[in-house]
Amino acid sequence: QMTSATKVYYSQTTQTDSRPLIGSGLRRRRVMTKDGRSNVRMEHIADKRFLYLKDLWTTFIDMQWRYKLVLFSATFAGTWFAFGVIWYLVAVVHGDLLEFDPPANHTPCVMQVHTLTGAFLFSLESQTTIGYGFRYISEECPLAIVLLITQLVLTTIMEIFITGTFLAKIARPKKRAETIKFSQNAVVAQHNGKTCLMIRVANMRKSLLIGCQVTGKLLQTHLTKEGESVRLNQVNVDFQVDTSSDSPFLILPLTFYHVVDDASPFRDMALRTGEGDFELVVILSGTVESTSATCQVRTSYLPEEILWGYEFTPAISLSASGKYVADFSLFDQVVKVTAPCCLHETVRFGDPEKVKLEESLREAAEREREGAPL
């Protein structure tokens, strides 16, 4: 059953163009977008094009599909035409063209290559191993034999490289990462007697992620002891499932917790007000079960996307057939609960031994005060 409308918060991506990032003079921008893309622009890199050309494999894989398809087509058409011109020159040098009026017993280097168009068609047929049988090389010209071998070897290497980049781009785990979903908002509430910052993560495929780990990076301005202001300083934020830090079994949507205590980087932040100059980047890493490729999924939360005094609406139910159902229409919904009084508050149902010891010490201190002379 749904709770009342006044208690359910429907999460949406918050526009943040009008808020400062670091300092009041700058407009607020994400370092990492909600879908995990970098929002950083690199400028003034010396010899940037040369550096990209030195790593052609990565450059080709990172290239957008439209440019990759154009380059793929242009490379093949260009090599066909370039070697076609070379074959035409061979015919010119050997006197195979009809305008040279060769004698009746003249044997050309390549049969039926009398024009540039014919040379282009022979280059295309040789490189693609079509072999129609109408144009073929003869034994008359050793240079033509060497040229044919050179063309086939060079173009085969080129085809292997281009085809490999296509397969590598298709098989990248980036598409698998799109089936990992983070909650649009993070929430802060009591969990097992501790004030916790919580996010929800779900795997929308039946295939599992092996050895997945969730970590966080808190990006904020940091002032060192020497007075140096470090913009976007990175601080680790640990997340866990309940009290275990082992690899979670991500078969159903899970809630990951970060305990906000004295060791937490959030201990001095005003999470209650939703204000501040920081960004929480959350990273999930794991191995794709079907391909054994390493997959990384990222998202980020701004101060106004961290909700104080809310918790996630349960999204798991049991169907009539006995199957567990994950309802993603409830995935981003949160319900208002009793807000923590402070970040360090611990309720009475915490560690029983610790509570018992604190009560005994408190009673002993009260007895001492009662027995002290006035």
Side-chain angles (χ1 to χ4, degrees), residues 75-354:
T75 301
F76 276 93
T79 54
W80 294 336
F81 181 77
F83 279 99
V85 171
I86 298 175
W87 285 114
Y88 180 75
L89 294 177
V90 170
V92 171
V93 172
H94 194 256
D96 298 338
L97 302 184
L98 294 179
E99 55 261 32
F100 293 155
D101 194 16
N105 61 348
H106 177 78
T107 303
C109 291
V110 182
M111 299 296 181
Q112 305 301 327
V113 173
H114 306 299
T115 62
L116 180 59
T117 303
F120 172 78
L121 291 175
F122 175 74
S123 173
L124 186 153
E125 294 168 13
S126 299
Q127 187 169 326
T128 56
T129 65
I130 293 176
Y132 290 121
F134 183 69
R135 297 179 182 89
Y136 57 92
I137 195 169
S138 68
E139 301 175 359
E140 183 69 19
C141 303
L143 178 62
I145 298 174
V146 174
L147 177 60
L148 179 62
I149 295 173
T150 303
Q151 177 181 2
L152 296 180
V153 170
L154 291 180
T155 54
T156 299
I157 295 174
M158 179 198 67
E159 291 173 9
I160 291 173
F161 180 84
I162 295 179
T163 305
T165 58
F166 264 82
L167 293 176
K169 189 175 182 67
I170 294 173
R172 282 194 307 175
K174 182 178 180 180
K175 296 300 181 182
R176 178 64 175 91
E178 294 178 359
T179 58
I180 305 296
K181 183 177 178 62
F182 285 96
S183 57
Q184 288 287 340
N185 289 84
V187 297
V188 179
Q190 288 287 331
H191 177 72
N192 286 340
K194 298 177 181 178
T195 300
C196 295
L197 184 146
M198 296 171 276
I199 61 171
R200 182 180 273 179
V201 184
N203 176 19
M204 294 184 288
R205 278 186 177 270
K206 289 187 177 181
S207 58
L208 300 178
L209 285 179
I210 303 172
C212 57
Q213 297 287 340
V214 175
T215 58
K217 296 289 183 180
L218 180 63
L219 309 180
Q220 61 177 344
T221 300
H222 174 67
L223 187 64
T224 65
K225 295 180 180 180
E226 294 76 18
E228 178 187 3
S229 179
V230 180
R231 181 170 294 179
L232 298 179
N233 181 59
Q234 298 186 18
V235 181
N236 290 330
V237 179
D238 297 326
F239 283 92
Q240 61 186 15
V241 179
D242 292 330
T243 58
S244 174
S245 60
D246 296 335
S247 300
F249 187 48
L250 197 60
I251 193 172
L252 292 171
L254 292 180
T255 300
F256 288 81
Y257 305 89
H258 168 72
V259 179
V260 184
D261 53 14
D262 291 334
S264 171
F266 293 102
R267 61 186 180 276
D268 298 324
M269 294 187 180
L271 296 179
R272 184 194 302 268
T273 61
E275 298 179 355
D277 293 332
F278 67 88
E279 180 176 348
L280 174 61
V281 177
V282 181
I283 305 167
L284 183 145
S285 302
T287 303
V288 181
E289 183 183 32
S290 55
T291 62
S292 298
T294 302
C295 173
Q296 188 179 89
V297 197
R298 300 170 293 270
T299 191
S300 74
Y301 299 95
L302 298 177
E304 58 266 33
E305 295 172 334
I306 299 177
L307 308 178
W308 180 272
Y310 285 85
E311 66 180 17
F312 292 109
T313 302
I316 307 299
S317 61
L318 189 63
S319 67
S321 60
K323 289 187 176 182
Y324 286 95
V325 178
D327 188 354
F328 281 90
S329 65
L330 303 174
F331 184 82
D332 286 325
Q333 293 184 13
V334 294
V335 180
K336 190 170 184 60
V337 295
T338 303
C341 295
C342 61
L343 290 181
H344 311 295
E345 178 184 6
T346 301
V347 297
R348 296 296 297 273
F349 54 84
D351 186 356
E353 296 295 332
K354 184 177 179 181

